[in-house]
mmCIF file of all heavy atoms in Angstrom:
data_model
loop_
_atom_site.group_PDB
_atom_site.id
_atom_site.type_symbol
_atom_site.label_atom_id
_atom_site.label_comp_id
_atom_site.label_asym_id
_atom_site.label_seq_id
_atom_site.Cartn_x
_atom_site.Cartn_y
_atom_site.Cartn_z
ATOM 1 N N ARG Z 1 0.830 -1.199 0.000
ATOM 2 C CA ARG Z 1 0.000 0.000 0.000
ATOM 3 C C ARG Z 1 0.859 1.242 0.000
ATOM 4 O O ARG Z 1 0.568 2.238 -0.654
ATOM 5 C CB ARG Z 1 -0.919 -0.012 1.228
ATOM 6 C CG ARG Z 1 -2.035 -1.041 1.155
ATOM 7 C CD ARG Z 1 -3.046 -0.795 2.271
ATOM 8 N NE ARG Z 1 -4.058 -1.846 2.320
ATOM 9 C CZ ARG Z 1 -4.016 -2.885 3.125
ATOM 10 N NH1 ARG Z 1 -3.017 -3.001 4.007
ATOM 11 N NH2 ARG Z 1 -4.979 -3.793 3.102
ATOM 12 N N SER Z 2 1.999 1.182 0.770
ATOM 13 C CA SER Z 2 2.849 2.370 0.867
ATOM 14 C C SER Z 2 3.568 2.649 -0.432
ATOM 15 O O SER Z 2 3.888 3.794 -0.749
ATOM 16 C CB SER Z 2 3.871 2.187 2.002
ATOM 17 O OG SER Z 2 4.724 1.093 1.694
ATOM 18 N N THR Z 3 3.837 1.615 -1.256
ATOM 19 C CA THR Z 3 4.554 1.812 -2.532
ATOM 20 C C THR Z 3 3.600 1.953 -3.694
ATOM 21 O O THR Z 3 4.017 2.254 -4.808
ATOM 22 C CB THR Z 3 5.461 0.612 -2.817
ATOM 23 O OG1 THR Z 3 4.669 -0.583 -2.833
ATOM 24 C CG2 THR Z 3 6.540 0.501 -1.778
ATOM 25 N N GLY Z 4 2.344 1.728 -3.524
ATOM 26 C CA GLY Z 4 1.339 1.859 -4.584
ATOM 27 C C GLY Z 4 1.195 0.655 -5.448
ATOM 28 O O GLY Z 4 0.403 0.642 -6.387
ATOM 29 N N ASP Z 5 1.994 -0.436 -5.234
ATOM 30 C CA ASP Z 5 1.922 -1.646 -6.077
ATOM 31 C C ASP Z 5 0.910 -2.603 -5.502
ATOM 32 O O ASP Z 5 1.221 -3.557 -4.801
ATOM 33 C CB ASP Z 5 3.285 -2.351 -6.141
ATOM 34 C CG ASP Z 5 4.302 -1.483 -6.859
ATOM 35 O OD1 ASP Z 5 3.847 -0.669 -7.701
ATOM 36 O OD2 ASP Z 5 5.504 -1.634 -6.595
ATOM 37 N N VAL Z 6 -0.355 -2.328 -5.745
ATOM 38 C CA VAL Z 6 -1.412 -3.168 -5.247
ATOM 39 C C VAL Z 6 -1.698 -4.263 -6.244
ATOM 40 O O VAL Z 6 -1.719 -4.001 -7.448
ATOM 41 C CB VAL Z 6 -2.680 -2.335 -5.003
ATOM 42 C CG1 VAL Z 6 -3.814 -3.209 -4.456
ATOM 43 C CG2 VAL Z 6 -2.363 -1.206 -4.056
ATOM 44 N N PRO Z 7 -1.855 -5.508 -5.814
ATOM 45 C CA PRO Z 7 -2.131 -6.604 -6.758
ATOM 46 C C PRO Z 7 -3.308 -6.290 -7.641
ATOM 47 O O PRO Z 7 -4.316 -5.740 -7.190
ATOM 48 C CB PRO Z 7 -2.422 -7.800 -5.851
ATOM 49 C CG PRO Z 7 -1.729 -7.476 -4.570
ATOM 50 C CD PRO Z 7 -1.821 -6.005 -4.412
ATOM 51 N N ALA Z 8 -3.163 -6.610 -8.957
ATOM 52 C CA ALA Z 8 -4.221 -6.314 -9.923
ATOM 53 C C ALA Z 8 -5.375 -7.264 -9.730
ATOM 54 O O ALA Z 8 -5.208 -8.391 -9.265
ATOM 55 C CB ALA Z 8 -3.676 -6.453 -11.337
ATOM 56 N N ASP Z 9 -6.546 -6.831 -10.184
ATOM 57 C CA ASP Z 9 -7.697 -7.698 -10.083
ATOM 58 C C ASP Z 9 -7.690 -8.709 -11.225
ATOM 59 O O ASP Z 9 -6.840 -8.677 -12.125
ATOM 60 C CB ASP Z 9 -8.989 -6.876 -10.087
ATOM 61 C CG ASP Z 9 -9.066 -5.974 -11.315
ATOM 62 O OD1 ASP Z 9 -8.332 -6.255 -12.319
ATOM 63 O OD2 ASP Z 9 -9.835 -5.004 -11.302
ATOM 64 N N ALA Z 10 -8.642 -9.636 -11.240
ATOM 65 C CA ALA Z 10 -8.682 -10.724 -12.229
ATOM 66 C C ALA Z 10 -8.838 -10.200 -13.644
ATOM 67 O O ALA Z 10 -8.258 -10.722 -14.598
ATOM 68 C CB ALA Z 10 -9.831 -11.675 -11.880
ATOM 69 N N GLU Z 11 -9.609 -9.171 -13.858
ATOM 70 C CA GLU Z 11 -9.832 -8.607 -15.219
ATOM 71 C C GLU Z 11 -8.540 -8.058 -15.788
ATOM 72 O O GLU Z 11 -8.225 -8.256 -16.956
ATOM 73 C CB GLU Z 11 -10.894 -7.519 -15.127
ATOM 74 C CG GLU Z 11 -11.229 -6.918 -16.496
ATOM 75 C CD GLU Z 11 -12.325 -5.868 -16.386
ATOM 76 O OE1 GLU Z 11 -12.897 -5.722 -15.291
ATOM 77 O OE2 GLU Z 11 -12.602 -5.230 -17.406
ATOM 78 N N THR Z 12 -7.781 -7.372 -14.915
ATOM 79 C CA THR Z 12 -6.509 -6.811 -15.387
ATOM 80 C C THR Z 12 -5.537 -7.917 -15.769
ATOM 81 O O THR Z 12 -4.840 -7.852 -16.779
ATOM 82 C CB THR Z 12 -5.899 -5.935 -14.293
ATOM 83 O OG1 THR Z 12 -6.823 -4.884 -13.984
ATOM 84 C CG2 THR Z 12 -4.583 -5.342 -14.759
ATOM 85 N N VAL Z 13 -5.504 -8.955 -14.917
ATOM 86 C CA VAL Z 13 -4.594 -10.069 -15.197
ATOM 87 C C VAL Z 13 -4.967 -10.737 -16.510
ATOM 88 O O VAL Z 13 -4.107 -11.068 -17.341
ATOM 89 C CB VAL Z 13 -4.639 -11.091 -14.046
ATOM 90 C CG1 VAL Z 13 -3.872 -12.346 -14.427
ATOM 91 C CG2 VAL Z 13 -4.070 -10.466 -12.774
ATOM 92 N N ALA Z 14 -6.246 -10.941 -16.787
ATOM 93 C CA ALA Z 14 -6.692 -11.581 -18.026
ATOM 94 C C ALA Z 14 -6.292 -10.748 -19.235
ATOM 95 O O ALA Z 14 -5.871 -11.272 -20.275
ATOM 96 C CB ALA Z 14 -8.207 -11.794 -17.972
ATOM 97 N N ALA Z 15 -6.419 -9.407 -19.120
ATOM 98 C CA ALA Z 15 -6.050 -8.529 -20.246
ATOM 99 C C ALA Z 15 -4.562 -8.619 -20.516
ATOM 100 O O ALA Z 15 -4.128 -8.645 -21.669
ATOM 101 C CB ALA Z 15 -6.468 -7.097 -19.923
ATOM 102 N N ASP Z 16 -3.766 -8.658 -19.416
ATOM 103 C CA ASP Z 16 -2.310 -8.770 -19.595
ATOM 104 C C ASP Z 16 -1.937 -10.084 -20.279
ATOM 105 O O ASP Z 16 -1.060 -10.134 -21.157
ATOM 106 C CB ASP Z 16 -1.612 -8.691 -18.236
ATOM 107 C CG ASP Z 16 -1.677 -7.272 -17.661
ATOM 108 O OD1 ASP Z 16 -1.947 -6.334 -18.452
ATOM 109 O OD2 ASP Z 16 -1.458 -7.119 -16.443
ATOM 110 N N VAL Z 17 -2.597 -11.175 -19.876
ATOM 111 C CA VAL Z 17 -2.311 -12.472 -20.492
ATOM 112 C C VAL Z 17 -2.667 -12.461 -21.975
ATOM 113 O O VAL Z 17 -1.936 -12.972 -22.838
ATOM 114 C CB VAL Z 17 -3.085 -13.584 -19.753
ATOM 115 C CG1 VAL Z 17 -2.979 -14.918 -20.526
ATOM 116 C CG2 VAL Z 17 -2.554 -13.748 -18.337
ATOM 117 N N ALA Z 18 -3.778 -11.839 -22.330
ATOM 118 C CA ALA Z 18 -4.193 -11.771 -23.733
ATOM 119 C C ALA Z 18 -3.191 -10.982 -24.555
ATOM 120 O O ALA Z 18 -2.836 -11.361 -25.678
ATOM 121 C CB ALA Z 18 -5.595 -11.143 -23.820
ATOM 122 N N ARG Z 19 -2.707 -9.864 -23.997
ATOM 123 C CA ARG Z 19 -1.709 -9.066 -24.735
ATOM 124 C C ARG Z 19 -0.421 -9.866 -24.926
ATOM 125 O O ARG Z 19 0.227 -9.819 -25.974
ATOM 126 C CB ARG Z 19 -1.435 -7.772 -23.966
ATOM 127 C CG ARG Z 19 -2.533 -6.723 -24.124
ATOM 128 C CD ARG Z 19 -2.043 -5.361 -23.649
ATOM 129 N NE ARG Z 19 -1.709 -5.364 -22.226
ATOM 130 C CZ ARG Z 19 -2.610 -5.124 -21.247
ATOM 131 N NH1 ARG Z 19 -3.885 -4.873 -21.550
ATOM 132 N NH2 ARG Z 19 -2.234 -5.150 -19.978
ATOM 133 N N GLY Z 20 -0.030 -10.622 -23.903
ATOM 134 C CA GLY Z 20 1.182 -11.439 -24.013
ATOM 135 C C GLY Z 20 1.058 -12.497 -25.096
ATOM 136 O O GLY Z 20 1.990 -12.736 -25.871
ATOM 137 N N ARG Z 21 -0.103 -13.148 -25.094
ATOM 138 C CA ARG Z 21 -0.303 -14.164 -26.127
ATOM 139 C C ARG Z 21 -0.289 -13.554 -27.540
ATOM 140 O O ARG Z 21 0.255 -14.119 -28.483
ATOM 141 C CB ARG Z 21 -1.623 -14.896 -25.881
ATOM 142 C CG ARG Z 21 -1.587 -15.820 -24.672
ATOM 143 C CD ARG Z 21 -2.930 -16.460 -24.458
ATOM 144 N NE ARG Z 21 -2.866 -17.409 -23.348
ATOM 145 C CZ ARG Z 21 -3.944 -18.055 -22.867
ATOM 146 N NH1 ARG Z 21 -5.161 -17.826 -23.413
ATOM 147 N NH2 ARG Z 21 -3.829 -18.898 -21.857
ATOM 148 N N GLY Z 22 -0.906 -12.387 -27.679
ATOM 149 C CA GLY Z 22 -0.917 -11.720 -28.987
ATOM 150 C C GLY Z 22 0.486 -11.385 -29.448
ATOM 151 O O GLY Z 22 0.844 -11.576 -30.616
ATOM 152 N N ALA Z 23 1.315 -10.872 -28.526
ATOM 153 C CA ALA Z 23 2.707 -10.542 -28.893
ATOM 154 C C ALA Z 23 3.478 -11.788 -29.286
ATOM 155 O O ALA Z 23 4.275 -11.784 -30.226
ATOM 156 C CB ALA Z 23 3.381 -9.839 -27.707
ATOM 157 N N LEU Z 24 3.243 -12.903 -28.558
ATOM 158 C CA LEU Z 24 3.927 -14.153 -28.860
ATOM 159 C C LEU Z 24 3.548 -14.661 -30.243
ATOM 160 O O LEU Z 24 4.398 -15.100 -31.028
ATOM 161 C CB LEU Z 24 3.575 -15.200 -27.795
ATOM 162 C CG LEU Z 24 4.207 -16.591 -27.999
ATOM 163 C CD1 LEU Z 24 5.723 -16.507 -27.983
ATOM 164 C CD2 LEU Z 24 3.726 -17.539 -26.885
ATOM 165 N N LEU Z 25 2.251 -14.568 -30.575
ATOM 166 C CA LEU Z 25 1.805 -15.013 -31.903
ATOM 167 C C LEU Z 25 2.415 -14.165 -33.011
ATOM 168 O O LEU Z 25 2.803 -14.667 -34.068
ATOM 169 C CB LEU Z 25 0.268 -14.969 -31.976
ATOM 170 C CG LEU Z 25 -0.482 -16.022 -31.147
ATOM 171 C CD1 LEU Z 25 -1.996 -15.779 -31.222
ATOM 172 C CD2 LEU Z 25 -0.159 -17.428 -31.648
ATOM 173 N N ARG Z 26 2.521 -12.863 -32.792
ATOM 174 C CA ARG Z 26 3.108 -11.981 -33.818
ATOM 175 C C ARG Z 26 4.574 -12.331 -34.051
ATOM 176 O O ARG Z 26 5.053 -12.342 -35.186
ATOM 177 C CB ARG Z 26 2.952 -10.522 -33.398
ATOM 178 C CG ARG Z 26 1.531 -9.990 -33.570
ATOM 179 C CD ARG Z 26 1.502 -8.474 -33.457
ATOM 180 N NE ARG Z 26 1.885 -8.008 -32.127
ATOM 181 C CZ ARG Z 26 1.028 -7.876 -31.102
ATOM 182 N NH1 ARG Z 26 -0.258 -8.197 -31.265
ATOM 183 N NH2 ARG Z 26 1.449 -7.446 -29.928
ATOM 184 N N ARG Z 27 5.321 -12.632 -32.959
ATOM 185 C CA ARG Z 27 6.732 -13.001 -33.111
ATOM 186 C C ARG Z 27 6.868 -14.312 -33.883
ATOM 187 O O ARG Z 27 7.756 -14.470 -34.722
ATOM 188 C CB ARG Z 27 7.376 -13.122 -31.723
ATOM 189 C CG ARG Z 27 7.652 -11.763 -31.074
ATOM 190 C CD ARG Z 27 8.630 -11.922 -29.933
ATOM 191 N NE ARG Z 27 8.101 -12.755 -28.849
ATOM 192 C CZ ARG Z 27 7.387 -12.280 -27.820
ATOM 193 N NH1 ARG Z 27 7.118 -10.985 -27.747
ATOM 194 N NH2 ARG Z 27 6.957 -13.102 -26.893
ATOM 195 N N ARG Z 28 5.982 -15.267 -33.575
ATOM 196 C CA ARG Z 28 6.039 -16.540 -34.286
ATOM 197 C C ARG Z 28 5.761 -16.355 -35.776
ATOM 198 O O ARG Z 28 6.414 -16.964 -36.638
ATOM 199 C CB ARG Z 28 5.044 -17.534 -33.690
ATOM 200 C CG ARG Z 28 5.464 -18.054 -32.325
ATOM 201 C CD ARG Z 28 4.440 -19.000 -31.749
ATOM 202 N NE ARG Z 28 4.886 -19.562 -30.487
ATOM 203 C CZ ARG Z 28 4.126 -20.358 -29.722
ATOM 204 N NH1 ARG Z 28 2.875 -20.662 -30.121
ATOM 205 N NH2 ARG Z 28 4.589 -20.824 -28.586
ATOM 206 N N ARG Z 29 4.764 -15.504 -36.128
ATOM 207 C CA ARG Z 29 4.450 -15.263 -37.535
ATOM 208 C C ARG Z 29 5.632 -14.623 -38.256
ATOM 209 O O ARG Z 29 5.934 -14.936 -39.414
ATOM 210 C CB ARG Z 29 3.192 -14.388 -37.654
ATOM 211 C CG ARG Z 29 1.887 -15.144 -37.417
ATOM 212 C CD ARG Z 29 0.710 -14.338 -37.930
ATOM 213 N NE ARG Z 29 0.521 -13.098 -37.175
ATOM 214 C CZ ARG Z 29 -0.271 -13.003 -36.100
ATOM 215 N NH1 ARG Z 29 -0.925 -14.076 -35.663
ATOM 216 N NH2 ARG Z 29 -0.393 -11.856 -35.467
ATOM 217 N N ARG Z 30 6.315 -13.711 -37.570
ATOM 218 C CA ARG Z 30 7.476 -13.065 -38.180
ATOM 219 C C ARG Z 30 8.592 -14.075 -38.447
ATOM 220 O O ARG Z 30 9.269 -14.049 -39.474
ATOM 221 C CB ARG Z 30 7.974 -11.921 -37.278
ATOM 222 C CG ARG Z 30 7.104 -10.672 -37.372
ATOM 223 C CD ARG Z 30 7.855 -9.472 -36.807
ATOM 224 N NE ARG Z 30 8.078 -9.591 -35.377
ATOM 225 C CZ ARG Z 30 7.257 -9.128 -34.436
ATOM 226 N NH1 ARG Z 30 6.129 -8.523 -34.792
ATOM 227 N NH2 ARG Z 30 7.543 -9.282 -33.164
ATOM 228 N N ARG Z 31 8.785 -15.007 -37.473
ATOM 229 C CA ARG Z 31 9.826 -16.023 -37.665
ATOM 230 C C ARG Z 31 9.496 -16.948 -38.858
ATOM 231 O O ARG Z 31 10.340 -17.289 -39.674
ATOM 232 C CB ARG Z 31 10.012 -16.847 -36.400
ATOM 233 C CG ARG Z 31 10.772 -16.099 -35.309
ATOM 234 C CD ARG Z 31 11.308 -17.071 -34.288
ATOM 235 N NE ARG Z 31 10.239 -17.785 -33.578
ATOM 236 C CZ ARG Z 31 9.676 -17.354 -32.454
ATOM 237 N NH1 ARG Z 31 10.079 -16.214 -31.905
ATOM 238 N NH2 ARG Z 31 8.729 -18.060 -31.876
ATOM 239 N N VAL Z 32 8.201 -17.351 -38.952
ATOM 240 C CA VAL Z 32 7.774 -18.215 -40.054
ATOM 241 C C VAL Z 32 7.944 -17.513 -41.390
ATOM 242 O O VAL Z 32 8.428 -18.074 -42.377
ATOM 243 C CB VAL Z 32 6.312 -18.666 -39.847
ATOM 244 C CG1 VAL Z 32 5.799 -19.386 -41.095
ATOM 245 C CG2 VAL Z 32 6.207 -19.571 -38.623
ATOM 246 N N ALA Z 33 7.569 -16.240 -41.452
ATOM 247 C CA ALA Z 33 7.710 -15.478 -42.696
ATOM 248 C C ALA Z 33 9.170 -15.353 -43.095
ATOM 249 O O ALA Z 33 9.534 -15.441 -44.268
ATOM 250 C CB ALA Z 33 7.077 -14.087 -42.519
ATOM 251 N N GLY Z 34 10.044 -15.133 -42.099
ATOM 252 C CA GLY Z 34 11.476 -15.021 -42.389
ATOM 253 C C GLY Z 34 12.043 -16.310 -42.947
ATOM 254 O O GLY Z 34 12.811 -16.323 -43.909
ATOM 255 N N VAL Z 35 11.663 -17.451 -42.346
ATOM 256 C CA VAL Z 35 12.137 -18.750 -42.823
ATOM 257 C C VAL Z 35 11.647 -19.006 -44.239
ATOM 258 O O VAL Z 35 12.382 -19.489 -45.113
ATOM 259 C CB VAL Z 35 11.666 -19.871 -41.873
ATOM 260 C CG1 VAL Z 35 11.969 -21.237 -42.482
ATOM 261 C CG2 VAL Z 35 12.355 -19.722 -40.514
ATOM 262 N N ALA Z 36 10.406 -18.654 -44.548
ATOM 263 C CA ALA Z 36 9.854 -18.859 -45.891
ATOM 264 C C ALA Z 36 10.600 -18.023 -46.913
ATOM 265 O O ALA Z 36 10.881 -18.461 -48.035
ATOM 266 C CB ALA Z 36 8.357 -18.508 -45.895
ATOM 267 N N ALA Z 37 10.938 -16.780 -46.539
ATOM 268 C CA ALA Z 37 11.669 -15.916 -47.467
ATOM 269 C C ALA Z 37 13.042 -16.479 -47.772
ATOM 270 O O ALA Z 37 13.496 -16.477 -48.914
ATOM 271 C CB ALA Z 37 11.793 -14.506 -46.861
ATOM 272 N N VAL Z 38 13.721 -16.973 -46.738
ATOM 273 C CA VAL Z 38 15.047 -17.569 -46.944
ATOM 274 C C VAL Z 38 14.941 -18.780 -47.855
ATOM 275 O O VAL Z 38 15.761 -18.986 -48.758
ATOM 276 C CB VAL Z 38 15.676 -17.956 -45.587
ATOM 277 C CG1 VAL Z 38 16.950 -18.783 -45.812
ATOM 278 C CG2 VAL Z 38 15.992 -16.695 -44.783
ATOM 279 N N ALA Z 39 13.909 -19.612 -47.637
ATOM 280 C CA ALA Z 39 13.730 -20.796 -48.469
ATOM 281 C C ALA Z 39 13.460 -20.411 -49.915
ATOM 282 O O ALA Z 39 13.956 -21.037 -50.851
ATOM 283 C CB ALA Z 39 12.575 -21.651 -47.924
ATOM 284 N N ALA Z 40 12.681 -19.351 -50.124
ATOM 285 C CA ALA Z 40 12.378 -18.902 -51.488
ATOM 286 C C ALA Z 40 13.627 -18.426 -52.190
ATOM 287 O O ALA Z 40 13.874 -18.722 -53.362
ATOM 288 C CB ALA Z 40 11.325 -17.796 -51.443
ATOM 289 N N VAL Z 41 14.457 -17.633 -51.491
ATOM 290 C CA VAL Z 41 15.712 -17.148 -52.083
ATOM 291 C C VAL Z 41 16.622 -18.314 -52.445
ATOM 292 O O VAL Z 41 17.249 -18.344 -53.500
ATOM 293 C CB VAL Z 41 16.427 -16.192 -51.112
ATOM 294 C CG1 VAL Z 41 17.832 -15.860 -51.631
ATOM 295 C CG2 VAL Z 41 15.606 -14.914 -50.957
ATOM 296 N N ALA Z 42 16.707 -19.317 -51.551
ATOM 297 C CA ALA Z 42 17.549 -20.485 -51.817
ATOM 298 C C ALA Z 42 17.047 -21.238 -53.042
ATOM 299 O O ALA Z 42 17.832 -21.717 -53.862
ATOM 300 C CB ALA Z 42 17.576 -21.401 -50.594
#
C-alpha cells in the first residue's frame, strides 16, 4: 500500500495475459515469414 503496487484484479490479469499471447503469436508469424523468405531465395 505504501509503494502503490497493489495486486491487480482478475480482469486486469486476463487482459495482460491476452496481450502477451498476442505478442507471442506476432513473433512466431514473423519467424515463419522469415524462414519462408530464406527458403524462397535459396
Side-chain angles (χ1 to χ4, degrees):
R1 289 191 186 97
S2 63
T3 57
D5 294 333
V6 181
D9 55 20
E11 182 178 353
T12 301
V13 171
D16 289 342
V17 171
R19 283 195 297 273
R21 289 178 176 175
L24 179 61
L25 289 175
R26 285 193 295 273
R27 285 197 297 271
R28 288 178 176 175
R29 283 196 295 269
R30 283 197 293 269
R31 285 198 296 270
V32 171
V35 171
V38 171
V41 171

